Amino acid sequence: MAYRCLVAALGLALMGLGGALLIQQPSPWRIALWLAAAVVVHDGLIAPLVVAVAVLTGAFGLRLRGVPRAALIVAGSLTAIALPPLLRPGGAANPTVVPLDYLRNWLLTMAAIAGAAGLWAGTRAALRGARRKP
């Protein structure tokens, strides 16, 4: 019980520090808005999508439920991190500030995540099928 109280106190202290640092920023409302939007995207989009995939894979009797959920969690987290450069309107005045093609790189990463998940699921299914055959 003492451990929980210590962790809770540490969490509250860090939240207070974060709030104090937020207030010191030149435009704290923009940062607070971005943080609130991140919570809404997670709770309103990523988490329900992962739960829906878990329910659907369970309804179809697939034993690979963890693979698509893990892929969606990784893809959703990466998307949440990549949203600021992806949603940035227009080009930067200084091309060295945002020098990469973030949309293309994000799409390639999503394809790599889907490919890795498909390869993992296919390998597990093939190994499971090989064990069943005498």
Side-chain angles (χ1 to χ4, degrees), residues 15-124:
M15 285 174 52
L17 175 64
L21 291 174
L22 178 65
I23 292 172
Q24 293 175 2
Q25 297 300 315
S27 56
W29 60 90
R30 293 183 69 197
I31 297 170
L33 179 65
W34 188 87
L35 291 172
V39 171
V40 169
V41 166
H42 176 271
D43 293 349
L45 183 66
I46 296 171
L49 183 62
V50 171
V51 170
V53 166
V55 169
L56 287 174
T57 55
F60 289 115
L62 297 175
R63 297 179 64 188
L64 300 171
R65 285 183 264 172
V67 176
R69 282 188 281 179
L72 283 172
I73 290 169
V74 171
S77 300
L78 182 66
T79 300
I81 292 169
L83 274 179
L86 288 174
L87 296 178
R88 182 184 180 122
N94 182 355
T96 62
V97 173
V98 186
L100 303 174
D101 185 358
Y102 288 100
L103 179 60
R104 183 201 64 190
N105 293 342
W106 177 79
L107 289 171
L108 288 172
T109 306
M110 293 298 117
I113 291 169
L119 184 64
W120 182 264
T123 303
R124 283 184 60 189

